[in-house]
Amino acid sequence: MSRTQSDHVQTQLLEITEAGYTPTKLVYKQYGDLKVFRCGDEMRLFGVVLEDLTYLSEFDHLVILLSVSEHEYERAGVEKRRARQLQTRYAAIDSEADFYEELDGEVFGSREVREFL
């Protein structure tokens, strides 16, 4: 990834994590449950937005990133399947403890994203 592409991805990650609203407003394209976020003219973030997570006290929505690519929309079919599976999996959860047990990875807010970048 070039420096410019990296900068675009970083900008978009910060915009998503620092938005004062549900990040679906930042979605460039959507394929069913799969959301595509535009990062400049070349890069795209593929992900899932989980909304209305009533069983969580810390936040009410979560973006799960699946991949970063250069317009590789041919991968959207594979990512679309993963997005649907994630939506189904997290919709079946009814407690915060179960959520964190199911979550595969870390949860990062804007502070952590800024530290990484």
Side-chain angles (χ1 to χ4, degrees), residues 12-43:
Q12 188 63 13
L13 283 174
L14 287 173
E15 192 168 343
I16 290 168
T17 56
E18 294 179 343
Y21 45 81
T22 304
T24 51
K25 295 179 181 179
L26 301 172
V27 171
Y28 174 64
K29 288 188 178 185
Q30 180 169 330
Y31 302 96
D33 293 321
L34 179 66
K35 312 290 193 230
V36 181
F37 300 91
R38 186 174 178 190
C39 306
D41 292 331
E42 297 177 22
M43 302 304 295

Side-chain angles (χ1 to χ4, degrees), residues 55-56 93 95-102:
Y55 52 81
L56 293 179
I93 295 173
S95 76
E96 191 163 354
D98 290 343
F99 169 81
Y100 284 108
E101 187 173 311
E102 183 68 32

Side-chain angles (χ1 to χ4, degrees), residues 12 16 23-49 51 63-67 69-77 79-80 83 87:
Q12 188 63 13
I16 290 168
T24 51
K25 295 179 181 179
L26 301 172
V27 171
Y28 174 64
K29 288 188 178 185
Q30 180 169 330
Y31 302 96
D33 293 321
L34 179 66
K35 312 290 193 230
V36 181
F37 300 91
R38 186 174 178 190
C39 306
D41 292 331
E42 297 177 22
M43 302 304 295
R44 301 292 183 262
L45 293 175
F46 292 84
V48 176
V49 178
E51 299 180 69
V63 178
I64 298 178
L65 296 178
L66 301 175
S67 65
S69 74
E70 296 181 60
H71 285 293
E72 291 186 28
Y73 291 114
E74 65 274 6
R75 293 190 60 203
E79 302 296 4
K80 189 171 149 183
Q87 287 285 4

